[in-house]
Amino acid sequence: MKVLWLCNVVLPMAAEQFHVEGSNKEGWISGLADMVLKNQRENAIRLAVAFPVPAHALPKGTDVCRRTVSTGGAVFECYGFLEDVRRAEAYDSALEARMRKITEEVQPDLVHCFGTEYPHTLAMCRSFPRKERLLVGLQGLCTLYARGYYADLPERVIRSVTLRDLLRRDSLRQQKQKFVLRGNMERETVSLAGNVTGRTSWDRENSKKWNPRANYFYMNETLRPEFYGPVWDEAGSVPHSIFLSQGDYPLKGLHYMLCAMPRILAEYPDARVYVAGNSLVEYGTLKQKLKISAYGKYLRSLMKENSLEDKIVFLGRLNAEQMRDRYLKSSLFVCCSALENSPNSLGEAMLLGMPCVSADVGGISSIFTHGQDGILYEGHRLEGKSESKSESEQHIKPGSGEQGNNNKNNMCDNMEERMIFISKALASAIIEMWEQPEQRKAYCRNARNHAEITHKKEANYQTMLDIYAKINSMDSVE
């Protein structure tokens, strides 16, 4: 079977052929590719992979380039195509001709697109004629992320625009609009594809609304190889240290954590928060002051207001090994996002067997069981008619009856009040985790056991092969 993968990053194994730096992002795709290539004799898959590359990686005057890659005794074809990945919200119709060029050369029996929110995925779904042989993999859901983007920020912050935001045309409202545009592409992509993979009840429910005729397949993700094997040990961790894998835009919810810290510090004065990724709050030089965003400025104000300047540590960009080591050094992993599907960061923490606290949002409850794997607390809820969970869990406006009166989060009459409510719930969950050492040990064991099933490499690889076989046997979309 000829299978074409469409990815959003250059696979490290192909980077040298295109004279570009391999990406550490989406490392699980590289791991999956390794398994397919190492087992070609058994799986009979002839794999080709396509991904966007910068213009300098292509021969002059071309927009698609093929390279033959050899790795571990296996040989496969890679196709680099031109795309402005810095503007993922902007659809370029020229991509359709590039996708046709690739598929006409590969002649695939099946096209597997990783991620539904990219222009190249929509271009493939528009241009590839055999929709019943199109498989698109849901990652995040930009349609829903757009609705939850402000993550209960005060209105004054949402309206705020710094010089950096103005020059880059990247205010909070403009950032949200980018997610809106990507969500528009995402919904059309799903509506065109004959087959969809996902991994939570949340993404299944929403994708079925966008395309009830598509075949939906559950397929869990394999994590980065660095996270298989090591086991978290409390004795080797820094007491009361909290690790967040991201915090550079509102959806990741760093502001909830900053608001939760005063209550946490009242119980544990030595508590510290370590945040991976670039710092948004640097303000020591003129250049840094000019580059600060409205969200970064708000985070600074929360840090100053709550005397957190020496309690929050920004770690910069970390590769997989550095991330793993930071998990192992931390006493607690927290996912305080306003909305997630099934974050790999949480999966990595669970696989390492460390204590985890997470907001109960999006699809997280499909991979993380409250009271068994750790603690879920009530997080952000989408406004209006819900696409987030089930009809019974829709946001109820204040004063709309008994159900609304019983939901304290929904009683809050503005976003800032909801942010305070969620931050208190987050603080309570962290304190509860630290106050119960025996229960914490049980959580760690259960989380690791759960993640070893969810993220088992061999099982996920076999699931993918089974899905391919089912699609290959179909003549039309059911």
Side-chain angles (χ1 to χ4, degrees):
M1 184 194 320
K2 291 182 182 178
V3 177
L4 171 63
W5 285 5
L6 182 61
C7 309
N8 65 306
V9 293
V10 179
L11 296 187
M13 63 183 71
E16 185 177 347
Q17 295 289 334
F18 288 90
H19 308 290
V20 297
E21 186 176 344
S23 174
N24 287 319
K25 293 176 60 180
E26 316 293 359
W28 60 275
I29 298 180
S30 296
L32 199 55
D34 281 335
M35 296 191 74
V36 170
L37 295 170
K38 287 177 181 177
N39 295 282
Q40 274 186 322
R41 185 171 298 178
E42 292 80 13
N43 60 42
I45 290 177
R46 293 166 60 188
L47 182 66
V49 184
F51 39 70
V53 296
H56 68 77
L58 300 169
K60 190 174 182 179
T62 65
D63 53 14
V64 175
C65 177
R66 182 184 69 183
R67 292 283 187 266
T68 300
V69 177
S70 178
T71 177
V75 176
F76 68 108
E77 302 299 320
C78 285
Y79 293 82
F81 58 86
L82 187 63
E83 181 180 24
D84 185 359
V85 296
R86 296 168 301 179
R87 300 185 63 217
E89 76 283 358
Y91 185 75
D92 180 3
S93 60
L95 283 167
E96 295 173 31
R98 295 165 198 163
M99 296 301 105
R100 278 193 294 270
K101 188 181 299 185
I102 293 170
T103 54
E104 287 171 3
E105 184 166 330
V106 175
Q107 290 293 304
D109 298 301
L110 184 151
V111 176
H112 185 176
C113 305
F114 292 86
T116 56
E117 68 273 33
Y118 303 106
H120 54 254
T121 306
L122 177 55
M124 178 63 79
C125 289
R126 284 181 173 180
S127 63
F128 189 63
R130 303 181 67 189
K131 310 303 184 191
E132 75 279 5
R133 297 301 179 92
L134 270 174
L135 174 66
V136 297
L138 298 165
Q139 294 180 21
L141 298 185
C142 284
T143 297
L144 284 301
Y145 290 173
R147 284 175 47 191
Y149 190 78
Y150 295 146
D152 302 304
L153 289 174
E155 184 63 30
R156 68 180 185 280
V157 178
I158 295 170
R159 293 197 306 265
S160 177
V161 179
T162 64
L163 178 62
R164 173 259 180 210
D165 298 339
L166 185 64
L167 294 177
R168 294 192 180 186
R169 299 180 181 178
D170 193 42
S171 68
L172 285 168
R173 286 176 171 172
Q174 288 168 319
Q175 290 171 23
K176 175 176 179 175
Q177 183 60 23
K178 292 173 186 178
F179 272 88
V180 170
L181 295 173
R182 295 182 74 182
N184 292 342
M185 290 188 288
E186 172 184 63
R187 293 194 306 279
E188 184 179 348
T189 291
V190 172
S191 73
L192 291 171
N195 307 278
V196 175
T197 67
R199 53 199 188 276
T200 68
S201 58
W202 186 66
D203 69 36
R204 184 183 188 277
E205 178 183 342
N206 286 292
S207 66
K208 281 294 182 182
K209 291 177 181 178
W210 302 336
N211 185 357
R213 296 178 63 248
N215 302 298
Y216 180 95
F217 300 96
Y218 277 101
M219 187 172 82
N220 290 317
E221 286 189 349
T222 297
L223 301 177
R224 295 179 288 185
E226 289 82 0
F227 293 88
Y228 291 86
V231 180
W232 180 85
D233 180 4
E234 186 159 11
S237 67
V238 178
H240 308 133
S241 57
I242 301 167
F243 182 48
L244 275 60
S245 64
Q246 289 186 67
D248 55 356
Y249 60 105
L251 268 176
K252 296 302 176 183
L254 179 55
H255 51 287
Y256 297 126
M257 177 58 71
L258 298 184
C259 289
M261 280 299 286
R263 186 176 177 200
I264 295 169
L265 289 167
E267 300 289 334
Y268 298 95
D270 60 337
R272 296 287 188 280
V273 177
Y274 295 83
V275 187
N278 293 331
S279 171
L280 296 185
V281 302
E282 298 297 330
Y283 209 65
T285 67
L286 177 61
K287 184 177 181 180
Q288 289 169 342
K289 291 176 181 178
L290 293 175
K291 290 177 67 176
I292 198 165
S293 66
Y295 185 55
K297 194 172 180 179
Y298 178 59
L299 295 178
R300 276 188 59 83
S301 71
L302 289 178
M303 290 172 64
K304 184 176 181 180
E305 176 185 338
N306 296 316
S307 301
L308 301 176
E309 288 89 343
D310 63 341
K311 304 293 185 180
I312 313 297
V313 181
F314 291 90
L315 301 169
R317 293 185 180 181
L318 304 179
N319 61 30
E321 290 184 359
Q322 292 169 326
M323 285 283 287
R324 178 201 61 204
D325 293 345
R326 176 49 62 179
Y327 280 107
L328 296 174
K329 289 178 184 177
S330 304
S331 71
L332 177 65
F333 174 78
V334 171
C335 176
C336 50
S337 296
L339 205 57
E340 294 275 5
N341 187 17
S342 65
N344 282 350
S345 56
L346 178 58
E348 290 168 349
M350 293 172 67
L351 190 59
L352 293 173
M354 69 179 298
C356 299
V357 164
S358 176
D360 185 8
V361 295
I364 286 179
S365 61
S366 289
I367 67 164
F368 184 78
T369 304
H370 173 66
Q372 180 173 319
D373 302 327
I375 299 174
L376 287 174
Y377 65 91
E378 183 173 354
H380 176 77
R381 289 291 177 262
L382 294 179
E383 297 281 356
K385 186 176 180 181
S386 175
E387 292 181 80
S388 58
K389 287 197 171 185
S390 64
E391 292 299 318
S392 64
E393 295 175 307
Q394 288 183 22
H395 178 85
I396 307 297
K397 293 183 178 180
S400 58
E402 183 177 352
Q403 186 175 2
N405 291 332
N406 288 336
N407 188 328
K408 292 182 181 179
N409 192 9
N410 293 334
M411 285 181 67
C412 302
D413 60 5
N414 62 61
M415 290 187 288
E416 193 164 8
E417 287 185 21
R418 288 198 296 269
M419 183 178 70
I420 293 170
F421 176 90
I422 292 168
S423 298
K424 287 181 178 178
L426 169 57
S428 296
I430 291 173
I431 292 169
E432 179 183 342
M433 179 65 79
W434 283 339
E435 286 180 341
Q436 301 181 3
E438 293 306 313
Q439 183 62 60
R440 186 166 66 245
K441 291 177 183 177
Y443 285 152
C444 293
R445 289 193 300 269
N446 294 337
R448 181 170 170 81
N449 291 338
H450 191 169
E452 284 181 333
I453 296 171
T454 303
H455 304 292
K456 187 174 183 179
K457 293 182 283 189
E458 297 77 12
N460 295 340
Y461 164 71
Q462 187 58 52
T463 296
M464 185 187 72
L465 296 185
D466 293 343
I467 292 170
Y468 287 180
K470 289 176 183 177
I471 293 174
N472 198 41
S473 67
M474 296 176 186
D475 294 324
S476 60
V477 179
E478 296 179 358

